[in-house]
Amino acid sequence: MTTTGEERAAAVSGPWWWARWRSALFDGSLALASAAECAAEGVPFARDAGVPLAAGVLFGLLCGSVLLVRRRWPIAVVLVAIAVTPAQMGFLMGIVGLYTLATCELPRRIIGALAGMSLLGTMIVTFVRVRQDMARGDFTIGDWFVPFAAVTTSLGLTAPPLLLGLYVGARRRLMESLRERADSLERELQLLAERAEERAEWARGEERTRIAREMHDVVAHRVSLMVVHAAALQAVARKDPEKAVRNAALVGDMGRQALTELREMLGVLRSGEAPERPAPLRDPAALPLVAVGVAAAAAASRAAGEPGGDGPCLAELEELVGQSAAAGMVVDLSVEGEARPYGAEVEQTAYRVVQEALTNVHKHAAGAKTRVRLAHRGAEIAMQVENGPPPEPATASAAGLPSGGNGLLGMKERVVALGGVFVSGPTDAGGFRVSAVIPA
């Protein structure tokens, strides 16, 4: 991956305005070469101008050393090169200055104006010098050579560095743009990764809740009935042996049904984890939560509504109420409206609401009279489970059934997930009422 802008800024380790020591050494070498050139060209300049030789050499050294600041002030370098053009010095400074100027992010009109000034100055100086040389007899070529030499020399000293600088500057800006886009893409990928992690954490929490709810629905009701029957069996074992035998048979049936549902759930989990060659799973946490949640839901619902399916549905509601009645609960079931098939999720949710409400009656109001109402309406299905106060306060927890406080929460989550309404609370008579309406 590319480095970000902050990392590149932190990587600046050169002196002053240089990003790297290598750049500083390179510019220093260019300035030294330019100073040596200008100092050498300052000797004939001093002779022609009639000034001391040392002054001409010192002037050349000062002018050539300006190339040291070409990265910081490229305009100043080009202006100095133009200024010393009449003295016929600073050719290296002019070429490097034009190249540096063209690579900078300056307005094109400034670059064009300075390049035009350099071109015109070089052309004029060359024209005058060549004409003077021809006048002294140094050249015997025709007069056409004077403008030709002036044009070719000025173009040769101006056009190549200018065009090369424009190309390098455009390429540099393109690479910078690509780096910025790469940095932006990297930041976006980091944000996406963080959001994906947040979504995964949220999904894990949702699956944990879903697994807990499905396990509660599968096991809690039947185990609660088993505890109630076991308590009744203990109470009537000596007084009524026949009733004790019936209660024992019911406890056995409930236990076998609970074990069957647990086996189905574990079978679905194992088959979903390793369908070809099941390997031993040493770490239970390695099982994906999503697969566990889906398997738990599939095992709990068991394809309700499908042909041949024996999962929880409204058709089994009468059997569910009969199991509670067999456990000693006085329960009445009433159905209003014309029964019709619903979606699998709707029937499962309605069944689970009634099942959990009856389980709560066994836990908290044992022996209380209970009424279950189911109403088939045009666009919805409504259910209500209402129980009266227990006959004796001590019997509310006589069977010793534990309560985790998750039953009502699980019912509400199921109903709300389907867009329904769930209400629960105590009644004025001292009982408890659970009501739910689910869109059909």
Side-chain angles (χ1 to χ4, degrees), residues 391-411:
E392 297 180 6
T395 61
S397 58
L401 292 171
S403 177
N406 296 318
L408 294 176
L409 179 61
M411 286 189 284

Side-chain angles (χ1 to χ4, degrees), residues 71-437:
R71 297 178 190 265
R72 186 63 178 254
W73 298 293
I75 297 178
V77 175
V78 175
L79 290 176
V80 172
I82 295 173
V84 299
T85 299
Q88 289 189 329
M89 64 172 60
F91 295 103
L92 177 62
M93 180 173 57
I95 293 174
V96 177
L98 283 176
Y99 166 80
T100 307
L101 180 70
T103 59
C104 296
E105 296 182 1
L106 293 173
R108 293 298 177 88
R109 61 178 182 275
I110 296 178
I111 298 176
L114 292 176
M117 292 171 59
S118 178
L119 176 66
L120 184 60
T122 305
M123 185 182 299
I124 293 175
V125 171
T126 305
F127 183 87
V128 172
R129 286 294 182 178
V130 172
R131 190 163 186 177
Q132 289 177 355
D133 293 339
M134 291 185 66
R136 287 195 304 265
D138 296 340
F139 296 102
T140 58
I141 306 176
D143 294 339
W144 62 268
F145 182 73
V146 177
F148 175 77
V151 172
T152 54
T153 302
S154 59
L155 288 177
L157 294 176
T158 305
L162 183 66
L163 295 177
L164 180 61
L166 291 174
Y167 167 75
V168 173
R171 185 175 180 274
R172 186 178 299 169
R173 286 186 288 273
L174 176 61
M175 295 300 296
E176 185 66 24
S177 174
L178 292 177
R179 279 194 294 268
E180 291 178 357
R181 292 179 60 184
D183 293 341
S184 176
L185 179 60
E186 184 176 2
R187 287 190 294 270
E188 291 179 0
L189 290 177
Q190 291 176 354
L191 290 176
L192 289 176
E194 292 175 359
R195 292 178 181 176
E197 182 64 24
E198 293 176 357
R199 288 195 295 267
E201 185 64 28
W202 175 83
R204 285 192 290 268
E206 289 293 319
E207 289 302 326
R208 291 189 186 99
T209 304
R210 183 178 178 182
I211 293 169
R213 185 170 61 241
E214 296 296 342
M215 292 290 291
H216 181 275
D217 290 341
V218 168
V219 179
H221 180 72
R222 300 195 186 281
V223 174
S224 298
L225 292 180
M226 289 171 61
V227 174
V228 172
H229 283 296
L233 177 62
Q234 184 180 5
V236 301
R238 297 180 181 275
K239 300 178 182 179
D240 192 349
E242 294 182 0
K243 187 175 182 180
V245 171
R246 290 196 301 269
N247 286 340
L250 289 174
V251 171
D253 292 340
M254 293 296 174
R256 282 188 290 272
Q257 292 175 1
L259 287 176
T260 300
E261 291 182 346
L262 287 177
R263 287 195 188 99
E264 290 178 359
M265 181 179 297
L266 294 176
V268 173
L269 291 177
R270 289 177 178 174
S271 63
E273 179 66 14
E276 296 180 357
R277 294 183 60 184
L281 187 62
R282 297 181 180 179
D283 185 8
L287 189 63
L289 284 175
V290 176
V292 174
V294 174
S301 59
R302 290 174 295 167
E306 296 179 0
D310 57 350
C313 58
L314 294 179
E316 301 177 5
L317 199 60
E318 187 174 353
E319 179 182 355
L320 176 67
V321 173
Q323 292 175 356
S324 295
M329 178 187 295
V330 180
V331 57
D332 178 33
L333 173 64
S334 63
V335 180
E336 302 175 4
E338 183 179 356
R340 63 182 187 276
Y342 299 95
E345 292 185 356
V346 174
E347 294 206 9
Q348 293 165 19
T349 301
Y351 181 92
R352 294 301 186 190
V353 168
V354 177
Q355 182 187 55
E356 180 59 30
L358 293 176
T359 302
N360 288 339
V361 175
H362 285 292
K363 289 180 179 180
H364 306 290
K369 185 177 181 180
T370 306
R371 183 179 182 185
V372 179
R373 297 178 58 191
L374 181 68
H376 299 277
R377 300 172 183 173
E380 60 190 16
I381 179 173
M383 64 227 64
Q384 183 182 88
V385 179
E386 181 179 355
N387 63 274
E392 297 180 6
T395 61
S397 58
L401 292 171
S403 177
N406 296 318
L408 294 176
L409 179 61
M411 286 189 284
K412 184 176 181 180
E413 289 176 351
R414 285 180 176 275
V415 174
V416 172
L418 297 179
V421 179
F422 178 85
V423 179
S424 63
T427 61
D428 297 336
F432 199 84
R433 180 188 297 116
V434 173
S435 302
V437 179

